[in-house]
């Protein structure tokens, strides 16, 4: 079983996160344990404070080192991998989610809050992670993002085929998906998806995935190592002509293609 421990000042923020959808099912199946630790429980301050004004002046409040360190030490072991959500960290992505899932069975995520944390606490963490170049009130939302992305990769959490073709898994955006009806206000599902020819459908999906990535995420597209087939599919799109493989699939599968709702 994988264990994710989250050190936070706001445990109540996790109620909905842990009681819905994939996360709830993964917990019920015994695939993951999520332990919430209230940092405030470890403060030695008689008023239960976990923060103070920054030494040397400055805005806001800084989380104290003592309760953070004591909370961490009381909940970690030799195999724990400790993560601090921080703008200093490397930007989070699907590759990192896979790495965390595959390498670590015991993960601790520390949620910062207020204006920041005592600099001396940083030496107690194994790595810092940023979920994006923007400011959040605290690290709770970031810890949920990281936890969710890891849990859904655990074997048995969701169907394996649901993961394979997702956005970013192959360094591309996912191809367009459709649900019934065939015709919605004149906007129709591509006929090729009704052809029953899975080889042709796979080609169509790959082409659309490449085109979406090229249009919407040129930064990702620039990093792609295109195969010969990828290049051919993109050339087909550029020529704006229906390729032979698609024509053949449509001809053979025309009896399955819906022409009404």
């Amino acid at each position: 079983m994988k264990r994710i421990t989250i050190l936070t000042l706001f445990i109540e923020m996790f109620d909905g996160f842990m009681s819905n959808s994939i996360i709830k099912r993964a917990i019920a199946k015994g695939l993951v344990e999520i332990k919430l630790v209230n940092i405030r429980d470890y403060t030695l301050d008689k008023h239960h404070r976990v923060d103070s004004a920054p030494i040397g002046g400055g805005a806001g409040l800084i989380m104290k080192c003592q309760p953070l360190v004591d909370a961490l030490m009381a909940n970690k072991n030799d195999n724990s991998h400790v993560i601090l959500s921080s703008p200093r960290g490397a930007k989070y992505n699907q590759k990192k989610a896979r790495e965390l899932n595959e390498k670590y069975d015991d993960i601790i995520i520390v949620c910062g809050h207020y204006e920041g944390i005592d600099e001396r606490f940083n030496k107690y963490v194994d790595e810092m992670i940023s979920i994006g170049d923007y400011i959040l009130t605290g690290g709770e939302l970031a810890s949920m993002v990281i936890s969710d992305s890891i849990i859904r990769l655990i074997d048995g959490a969701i169907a394996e085929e649901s993961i394979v073709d997702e956005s970013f898994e192959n360094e591309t955006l996912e191809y367009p998906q459709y649900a019934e009806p065939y015709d919605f206000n004149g906007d129709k599902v591509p006929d090729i998806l009704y052809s029953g020819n899975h080889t042709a459908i796979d080609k169509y999906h790959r082409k659309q995935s490449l085109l979406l990535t090229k249009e919407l995420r040129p930064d990702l597209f620039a990093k792609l190592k295109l195969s010969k087939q990828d290049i051919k599919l993109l050339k087909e799109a550029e020529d704006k002509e229906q390729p032979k493989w698609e024509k053949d699939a449509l001809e053979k599968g025309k009896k399955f293609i819906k022409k009404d709702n």
Side-chain angles (χ1 to χ4, degrees):
M1 178 190 292
K2 189 178 295 292
R3 184 174 78 163
I4 299 177
T5 302
I6 300 174
L7 275 55
T8 174
L9 291 172
F10 300 95
I11 285 179
E12 63 276 8
M13 289 183 66
F14 295 85
D15 290 347
F17 173 71
M18 294 178 61
S19 61
N20 287 282
S21 190
I22 293 169
I23 308 300
K24 180 181 180 180
R25 293 198 298 270
I27 294 172
K29 289 180 180 179
L31 300 175
V32 64
E33 174 192 359
I34 299 180
K35 181 180 180 182
L36 301 175
V37 175
N38 192 334
I39 299 168
R40 199 178 300 277
D41 290 343
Y42 293 86
T43 182
L44 300 179
D45 184 278
K46 64 181 180 180
H47 301 296
H48 301 291
R49 290 197 61 177
V50 294
D51 56 72
S52 65
I55 297 173
L61 297 169
I62 304 299
M63 289 182 70
K64 294 181 178 182
C65 209
Q66 176 272 313
L68 282 167
V69 172
D70 286 359
L72 177 60
M73 292 305 171
N75 290 280
K76 77 184 294 288
N77 58 53
D78 292 341
N79 297 319
S80 299
H81 184 72
V82 183
I83 297 168
L84 174 65
S85 59
S86 168
R88 296 186 190 180
K91 195 175 293 185
Y92 198 57
N93 57 28
Q94 187 66 12
K95 181 179 179 181
K96 187 63 179 179
R98 281 201 167 277
E99 177 189 325
L100 292 174
N101 177 56
E102 293 167 3
K103 291 180 66 174
Y104 307 108
D105 290 325
D106 191 305
I107 295 172
I108 297 177
I109 306 175
V110 183
C111 304
H113 211 75
Y114 305 120
E115 189 65 23
I117 66 172
D118 190 308
E119 181 72 20
R120 293 167 293 185
F121 178 71
N122 292 338
K123 68 177 67 176
Y124 294 89
V125 307
D126 295 306
E127 69 174 316
M128 299 180 188
I129 288 177
S130 168
I131 63 167
D133 295 337
Y134 47 86
I135 306 301
L136 296 172
T137 304
E140 282 73 22
L141 291 176
S143 73
M144 293 181 210
V145 169
I146 295 169
S147 297
D148 184 285
S149 67
I150 294 171
I151 292 169
R152 64 195 316 282
L153 293 174
I154 299 173
D155 288 343
I158 60 176
E160 185 177 355
E161 58 269 25
S162 296
I163 297 174
V164 174
D165 290 326
E166 288 184 317
S167 293
F168 308 116
E169 280 297 337
N170 299 302
E171 305 301 329
T172 59
L173 298 180
E174 188 176 7
Y175 50 79
Q177 301 271 30
Y178 301 89
E180 297 294 348
Y182 168 73
D183 188 330
F184 179 74
N185 292 342
D187 198 359
K188 299 177 181 178
V189 175
D191 285 342
I192 188 67
L193 299 180
Y194 286 108
S195 70
N197 187 322
H198 294 292
T199 299
I201 291 172
D202 286 345
K203 279 188 178 183
Y204 177 82
H205 280 161
R206 179 60 178 172
K207 181 191 289 189
Q208 297 306 310
S209 179
L210 289 169
L211 291 173
L212 277 178
T213 306
K214 184 177 182 180
E215 177 186 358
L216 302 177
R217 289 297 303 273
D219 56 321
L220 289 178
F221 187 81
K223 298 175 184 178
L224 285 177
K225 293 182 179 178
L226 299 175
S227 67
K228 290 182 179 179
Q229 178 171 285
D230 289 341
I231 295 170
K232 186 175 181 180
L233 291 173
L234 288 168
K235 181 66 165 54
E236 290 172 0
E238 184 181 319
D239 292 342
K240 297 181 180 180
E241 292 184 4
Q242 190 177 53
K244 184 177 184 301
W245 59 264
E246 188 171 342
K247 289 179 181 177
D248 291 345
L250 290 171
E251 180 62 28
K252 292 178 181 178
K254 61 184 178 182
K255 63 180 179 180
F256 301 110
I257 296 172
K258 299 189 177 183
K259 292 302 181 184
D260 54 39
N261 291 334

